[in-house]
């Protein structure tokens, strides 16, 4: 941790605790480009990205933010080179195994969302174990979107609701936002107040399409492995300067 980051272990004085986002989501973009600039293989960018995510999680915990959701692997990421996909699956599994004890000690509650059945069996087992062992932790809620796609999430929710209607368990007039949300991967998780995307890309990339209806977005040119507490501080300062009206005047 740098000297500047050490100074930012406590909530910066220019941030108002009552105006902090309760739930922050991140699209961690730029790992490959970061590695290329360093003259390193792409996989080293992903390893550096894990370190950045770990520090952001601890920062959220230190500063009193209640929930963090990270876009770890999209349904489209399967199209990447097989070597990179295999490395990512192994990396996820290794990080879970190595970090679980510390997560338990720090009262982090881990949850995974997405089509988890398509993941390697060994990774599924680590995911199940991490969620089970942290399910009662009262601290920050850490959600990892893995093999996640917003359109696919909405489609599977529609299918599940249609089946209930077909079976007579639900009437069409009973379908409302609350019912629909209960069939999403993120059921029971509050919508993000703030979505941060690194590397300058200005799109949602199929992430939390329903949930981001009124969420604020913050785009930074910084590549994900370089996104530290100073960068997070800037994002929160920008967020606190905005007026969230939710369609009102």
């Amino acid at each position: 941790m740098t000297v500047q980051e050490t100074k930012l272990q406590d909530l910066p004085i220019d941030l108002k605790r009552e105006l902090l986002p309760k739930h922050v989501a991140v699209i961690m973009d730029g790992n490959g480009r970061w590695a290329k600039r360093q003259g390193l293989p792409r996989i080293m960018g992903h390893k550096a990205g894990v370190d950045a995510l770990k520090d952001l999680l601890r920062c959220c915990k230190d500063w009193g933010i209640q929930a963090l959701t990270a876009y770890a692997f999209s349904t489209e990421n399967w199209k990447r080179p097989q070597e990179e996909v295999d490395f990512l699956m192994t990396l996820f599994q290794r990080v879970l195994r190595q970090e679980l004890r510390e997560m338990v000690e720090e009262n982090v509650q881990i949850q995974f969302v997405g089509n988890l059945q398509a993941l390697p069996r060994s990774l599924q087992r680590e995911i199940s174990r991490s969620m089970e062992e942290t399910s009662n932790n009262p601290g920050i809620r850490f959600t990892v979107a893995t093999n996640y796609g917003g359109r696919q999430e909405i489609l599977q929710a529609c299918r599940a609701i249609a089946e209930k209607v077909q079976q007579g368990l639900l009437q069409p007039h009973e379908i409302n936002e609350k019912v629909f949300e209960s069939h999403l991967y993120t059921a029971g998780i509050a919508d993000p107040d703030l979505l941060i995307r690194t590397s300058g890309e200005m799109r949602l990339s199929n992430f939390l399409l329903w949930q981001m209806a009124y969420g604020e977005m913050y785009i930074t040119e910084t590549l994900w492995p370089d996104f530290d507490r100073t960068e997070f501080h800037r994002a929160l300062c920008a967020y606190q300067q905005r007026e969230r009206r939710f369609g009102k005047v």
Side-chain angles (χ1 to χ4, degrees):
M1 188 177 290
T2 66
V3 173
Q4 178 65 18
E5 287 171 330
T6 301
K7 292 179 181 177
L8 289 174
Q9 284 185 312
D10 297 324
L11 183 69
I13 59 174
D14 58 346
L15 290 177
K16 297 180 181 179
R17 189 171 297 278
E18 67 273 14
L19 295 180
L20 286 175
K22 293 181 175 63
H23 182 181
V24 174
V26 289
I27 299 178
M28 307 176 292
D29 205 5
N31 290 341
R33 276 166 282 176
W34 179 90
K36 185 177 181 180
R37 290 181 185 179
Q38 307 293 322
L40 299 170
R42 283 179 59 85
I43 61 175
M44 298 305 293
H46 294 307
K47 291 183 69 174
V50 168
D51 292 336
L53 179 59
K54 285 163 55 179
D55 187 59
L56 179 60
L57 178 61
R58 291 189 176 94
C59 183
C60 287
K61 179 176 177 289
D62 290 344
W63 292 0
I65 291 170
Q66 299 172 12
L68 174 67
T69 295
Y71 201 10
F73 192 86
S74 75
T75 51
E76 289 78 21
N77 286 157
W78 294 108
K79 300 173 185 177
R80 292 185 175 186
Q82 190 61 47
E83 180 183 5
E84 183 174 347
V85 171
D86 291 344
F87 174 82
L88 286 170
M89 294 298 123
T90 302
L91 181 63
F92 295 157
Q93 188 172 328
R94 184 166 64 244
V95 169
L96 274 177
R97 190 180 300 121
Q98 292 174 348
E99 301 293 331
L100 182 57
R101 179 176 296 179
E102 191 169 353
M103 295 287 188
V104 171
E105 291 174 353
E106 295 187 13
N107 282 321
V108 175
Q109 183 184 133
I110 307 170
Q111 185 165 353
F112 282 76
V113 294
N115 180 11
L116 305 180
Q117 300 304 312
L119 300 174
R121 290 290 180 86
S122 56
L123 178 54
Q124 288 185 48
R125 287 193 292 270
E126 290 296 335
I127 286 173
S128 296
R129 185 166 73 96
S130 67
M131 290 196 295
E132 181 178 351
E133 293 191 19
T134 64
S135 61
N136 295 319
N137 285 356
I140 184 171
R141 188 170 195 170
F142 180 38
T143 304
V144 185
T146 309
N147 195 28
Y148 174 92
R151 288 183 174 182
Q152 291 79 355
E153 177 183 35
I154 291 170
L155 284 173
Q156 69 83 28
C158 290
R159 292 189 190 103
I161 291 171
E163 287 178 3
K164 287 187 177 180
V165 171
Q166 189 176 47
Q167 294 167 7
L169 301 175
L170 187 68
Q171 296 300 313
H173 69 271
E174 296 175 321
I175 302 170
N176 53 30
E177 288 190 12
K178 185 176 181 179
V179 169
F180 188 79
E181 288 171 352
S182 70
H183 290 80
L184 295 174
Y185 294 137
T186 57
I189 302 174
D191 292 344
D193 302 296
L194 172 65
L195 171 67
I196 297 169
R197 179 159 192 166
T198 55
S199 85
E201 304 293 347
M202 297 187 182
R203 54 181 177 272
L204 284 174
S205 292
N206 204 18
F207 186 47
L208 301 178
L209 300 183
W210 173 275
Q211 298 85 343
M212 275 299 296
Y214 284 103
E216 297 290 325
M217 294 185 66
Y218 176 84
I219 309 296
T220 174
E221 296 289 336
T222 301
L223 302 180
W224 176 250
D226 290 328
F227 189 87
D228 55 17
R229 294 185 180 216
T230 301
E231 292 290 339
F232 190 42
H233 178 210
R234 292 193 184 106
L236 294 179
C237 285
Y239 172 82
Q240 292 201 344
Q241 292 170 4
R242 300 180 187 180
E243 182 182 359
R244 303 185 72 198
R245 294 189 296 272
F246 300 96
K248 302 175 184 177
V249 176

